[in-house]
Amino acid sequence: MSFLIKDAKNHIGQDVELKGWVFNKRSSGSIIFLQIRDGSGCIQAVIAKNEVSSESFNEAEKLIEESTIIAMGQIKEEPRSPYGFEMQIKDLKIISLSSEFPISKKEHGINFLLSLRHLWLRSQRQWAILRIRNQIINAINEFLQKEDYIKLDAPIITPAACEGTTTLFPVDYFGNKTFLSQSGQLYLEAGIASFGKCYDFGPTFRAEKSKTKRHLTEFWMMDAEAAFMEFNELLELEEKMIYYIIQEVLKNCKEELKIIERDTIPLEQIKLPFERLSYQETITKLQELGSDIKYGEDLGNDDETILMTHFKQPLFITKFPSTFKAFYFKRDSKDSNLTLSSDLLAPEGYGEVTGGGQREDDYQILLNRMNEEKLNIKDYEWYLDLRKYGSCPHSGFGLGLERIVAWICKLEHVRESIPFPRTIYRFTP
Ligand code: 4AD
Ligand code: MG
């Protein structure tokens, strides 16, 4: 019978076969206590000299941390154990005796841990964070599928920039110059004329020279796009989705949140609708809070932190000036210097987690805008076609997965929110 530790409560009194890794061992001569994990959870196992064969006990004595084993034994309830259950081992076999594990219980520096990321992933904390990440991915897919969005996978290798030309990673494509995708948005804009609503979810790349706690060079983005969706409806969709993600994590990741010692009260207190401030109101607010930002400037990381230490709920900043926003945003009909754009900022000091807006749907205005930006129109002909053949008002947004994970797990740095982080100085392991 195949057994998983997470199902221990259904096997009380039964003999089961457990396959896993020993991550801790304590011995009092004739009794050995093993902490074992199998991927689904952890359990304490006890092996007593006078209750097993001498072969089994010898194996247990030889064990060192991170060795793999098969243990046969009985599951018991054990209220004193942090896991609630214990296994009384009857038979034990070593599958692979580990070499001495380089990561110990003592504190290690972050660079050491990142160079050993392939081994660090096994720690309980990393296990918990990456399971929460998995739950967030599931919640995003579930939410969008329920809202009738079709997953349309955007390409990774692209001929043109979506988010400005300064952060492109070039790829030599059989002699042609192409780039790693910064966002699948432009392809989803093509998708909406076929599917109405669609989304992608995949790796995106930015050659960001920034060394902040919020920037990776490879990160996962979900882009969603919908035909006939106007700006205000977009904000409603975004907040509904973020709220759904938080509820799913609170409901399904109780153990993981406990392991990482996340105070869940700020998450439990999040309510709909989220607050909305225009860019102009945000600048005034920031100046009140002591920032030296001036009207016309983009928010820096510090501004986001100041703002989101003040606000306890997620906050939409809307209608940024066109001067520092991408070419595709539609202008506000009330003030053509402003765009129908928005960033969603997360509380507890976290800052931007999504960015989106309504798209320019007029061929000529879009073309003028692209010329102003000195984009190579030839690379975007296919994109301009979308305004020639059945254009429609439409909106969409992009969600940075690692930013959401970092906020929900309250991580110090975004690098812990992804299995193998890529930053300006790190592309291994
Ligand atoms: O705000 P951004 O640049 O928006 C876009 O790329 C749009 N094309 C999306 C769309 O409208 N479909 O990026 C979207 C989100 C940001 O809000 C942020 O959460 C995340 O992606 N992000 C990053 N995450 C980690 N490291 C980086 N270097 C990031 N850059 C953006
Ligand atoms: Mg942005």
Side-chain angles (χ1 to χ4, degrees), residues 163 183 185 206 208 216 219 223 352-354 359 397-398 400:
E163 294 301 320
S183 158
Q185 177 196 326
R206 309 253 171 119
E208 309 252 20
L216 296 164
F219 58 98
D223 297 278
E352 182 186 340
V353 289
T354 78
R359 320 306 188 186
F397 74 106

Side-chain angles (χ1 to χ4, degrees), residues 101-104 108-122 419-420 426 428-429:
F101 200 59
I103 303 175
S104 61
H108 292 289
I110 186 67
N111 274 327
F112 175 81
L113 290 170
L114 284 171
S115 338
L116 293 178
R117 184 62 171 166
H118 52 297
L119 303 177
W120 187 27
L121 284 182
R122 306 176 186 196
F420 294 94
R426 180 168 295 281
T428 59

Side-chain angles (χ1 to χ4, degrees), residues 325 343 352 355:
K325 280 292 176 186
D343 281 358
E352 182 186 340

Side-chain angles (χ1 to χ4, degrees), residues 251-268:
K251 185 172 79 187
N252 300 322
C253 299
K254 291 195 174 73
E255 187 192 344
E256 290 84 352
L257 291 164
K258 214 157 100 192
I259 290 171
I260 62 173
E261 297 176 335
R262 172 58 154 127
D263 173 10
T264 55
I265 290 168
L267 296 176
E268 284 157 26

Side-chain angles (χ1 to χ4, degrees), residues 360-368 377 381 384-385 387-388 391:
E360 182 51 68
D361 48 79
D362 181 86
Y363 177 85
Q364 198 55 50
I365 299 176
L366 183 61
L367 182 62
N368 294 347
I377 301 299
E381 267 169 359
L384 281 159
D385 270 356
R387 274 69 177 167
K388 279 204 271 184
S391 188

Side-chain angles (χ1 to χ4, degrees), residues 183-358:
S183 158
Q185 177 196 326
L186 306 187
Y187 294 94
L188 294 181
E189 290 186 62
I192 56 166
S194 177
F195 304 101
K197 304 179 188 184
C198 50
Y199 73 105
D200 64 26
F201 204 159
T204 48
F205 306 85
R206 309 253 171 119
E208 309 252 20
K209 298 251 163 61
S210 25
K211 285 187 284 179
T212 77
K213 298 173 174 186
R214 298 177 181 157
H215 289 89
L216 296 164
T217 53
E218 176 177 313
F219 58 98
W220 282 64
M221 203 197 298
M222 184 290 308
D223 297 278
E225 197 75 23
F228 303 105
M229 183 162 68
E230 308 267 353
F231 186 57
N232 288 325
E233 297 169 280
L234 171 72
L235 304 191
E236 284 164 21
L237 176 79
E238 287 190 44
E239 64 189 359
K240 213 168 131 188
M241 174 158 158
I242 299 292
Y243 185 79
Y244 181 79
I245 294 171
I246 291 169
Q247 302 316 309
E248 288 299 293
V249 171
L250 287 172
K251 185 172 79 187
N252 300 322
C253 299
K254 291 195 174 73
E255 187 192 344
E256 290 84 352
L257 291 164
K258 214 157 100 192
I259 290 171
I260 62 173
E261 297 176 335
R262 172 58 154 127
D263 173 10
T264 55
I265 290 168
L267 296 176
E268 284 157 26
Q269 284 172 343
I270 284 170
K271 52 181 193 299
L272 291 173
F274 295 167
E275 298 190 56
R276 290 150 167 75
L277 279 189
S278 69
Y279 167 79
Q280 166 125 43
E281 291 164 331
T282 306
I283 297 300
T284 310
K285 187 82 210 171
L286 271 168
Q287 289 168 344
E288 271 171 39
L289 293 171
S291 164
D292 56 7
I293 193 168
K294 290 177 206 62
Y295 188 93
E297 291 173 0
D298 198 0
L299 274 68
N301 280 308
D302 294 347
D303 296 312
E304 290 189 3
T305 307
I306 295 172
L307 202 60
M308 297 322 288
T309 309
H310 176 76
F311 283 93
K312 304 298 171 216
Q313 293 283 323
L315 170 74
F316 281 115
I317 304 178
T318 64
K319 301 193 179 178
F320 289 90
S322 62
T323 42
F324 56 80
K325 280 292 176 186
F327 66 94
Y328 50 71
F329 285 107
K330 193 176 177 69
R331 300 295 175 99
D332 184 7
S333 58
K334 296 191 201 80
D335 180 349
S336 66
N337 294 315
L338 301 180
T339 55
L340 295 180
S341 56
S342 107
D343 281 358
L344 179 67
L345 274 55
E348 300 182 80
Y350 277 90
E352 182 186 340
V353 289
T354 78
Q358 188 161 343

